[in-house]
mmCIF file of all heavy atoms in Angstrom:
data_model
loop_
_atom_site.group_PDB
_atom_site.id
_atom_site.type_symbol
_atom_site.label_atom_id
_atom_site.label_comp_id
_atom_site.label_asym_id
_atom_site.label_seq_id
_atom_site.Cartn_x
_atom_site.Cartn_y
_atom_site.Cartn_z
ATOM 1 N N GLN A 1547 -59.469 -24.476 57.541
ATOM 2 C CA GLN A 1547 -59.498 -23.171 56.878
ATOM 3 C C GLN A 1547 -58.574 -22.204 57.607
ATOM 4 O O GLN A 1547 -58.439 -22.269 58.824
ATOM 5 C CB GLN A 1547 -60.934 -22.646 56.836
ATOM 6 C CG GLN A 1547 -61.879 -23.680 56.197
ATOM 7 C CD GLN A 1547 -63.210 -23.114 55.783
ATOM 8 O OE1 GLN A 1547 -63.567 -21.998 56.144
ATOM 9 N NE2 GLN A 1547 -63.952 -23.886 55.003
ATOM 10 N N LYS A 1573 -72.960 -25.272 56.603
ATOM 11 C CA LYS A 1573 -72.360 -23.955 56.844
ATOM 12 C C LYS A 1573 -73.303 -23.028 57.612
ATOM 13 O O LYS A 1573 -72.854 -22.294 58.477
ATOM 14 C CB LYS A 1573 -71.983 -23.295 55.505
ATOM 15 C CG LYS A 1573 -70.731 -23.899 54.895
ATOM 16 C CD LYS A 1573 -70.357 -23.276 53.553
ATOM 17 C CE LYS A 1573 -69.094 -23.941 53.015
ATOM 18 N NZ LYS A 1573 -68.700 -23.466 51.682
ATOM 19 N N ARG A 1614 -59.739 -15.776 53.443
ATOM 20 C CA ARG A 1614 -59.836 -17.082 54.116
ATOM 21 C C ARG A 1614 -59.690 -18.169 53.066
ATOM 22 O O ARG A 1614 -60.407 -18.181 52.071
ATOM 23 C CB ARG A 1614 -61.196 -17.215 54.809
ATOM 24 C CG ARG A 1614 -61.255 -18.346 55.842
ATOM 25 C CD ARG A 1614 -62.675 -18.764 56.149
ATOM 26 N NE ARG A 1614 -63.192 -19.545 55.054
ATOM 27 C CZ ARG A 1614 -64.401 -19.358 54.502
ATOM 28 N NH1 ARG A 1614 -65.211 -18.442 54.948
ATOM 29 N NH2 ARG A 1614 -64.785 -20.111 53.500
ATOM 30 N N ASP A 1616 -59.611 -22.215 51.998
ATOM 31 C CA ASP A 1616 -60.194 -23.503 52.396
ATOM 32 C C ASP A 1616 -59.296 -24.644 51.936
ATOM 33 O O ASP A 1616 -58.884 -24.694 50.778
ATOM 34 C CB ASP A 1616 -61.582 -23.681 51.749
ATOM 35 C CG ASP A 1616 -62.548 -22.589 52.160
ATOM 36 O OD1 ASP A 1616 -62.215 -21.830 53.088
ATOM 37 O OD2 ASP A 1616 -63.636 -22.507 51.553
ATOM 38 N N GLU A 1628 -59.786 -23.343 47.593
ATOM 39 C CA GLU A 1628 -60.080 -22.005 47.074
ATOM 40 C C GLU A 1628 -59.648 -20.961 48.079
ATOM 41 O O GLU A 1628 -59.407 -21.269 49.255
ATOM 42 C CB GLU A 1628 -61.582 -21.866 46.828
ATOM 43 C CG GLU A 1628 -62.386 -22.089 48.102
ATOM 44 C CD GLU A 1628 -63.695 -21.330 48.143
ATOM 45 O OE1 GLU A 1628 -63.954 -20.513 47.247
ATOM 46 O OE2 GLU A 1628 -64.447 -21.536 49.111
ATOM 47 N N ASN A 1630 -61.054 -17.231 49.551
ATOM 48 C CA ASN A 1630 -62.204 -16.321 49.603
ATOM 49 C C ASN A 1630 -61.735 -14.916 49.954
ATOM 50 O O ASN A 1630 -61.130 -14.719 51.014
ATOM 51 C CB ASN A 1630 -63.194 -16.794 50.672
ATOM 52 C CG ASN A 1630 -63.710 -18.193 50.381
ATOM 53 O OD1 ASN A 1630 -64.529 -18.375 49.497
ATOM 54 N ND2 ASN A 1630 -63.189 -19.188 51.097
HETATM 55 MG MG1 MG B 2911 -65.228 -22.847 50.315
#
Side-chain angles (χ1 to χ4, degrees):
Q1547 306 196 348
K1573 284 179 180 176
R1614 196 200 75 226
D1616 300 349
E1628 59 151 353
N1630 300 285

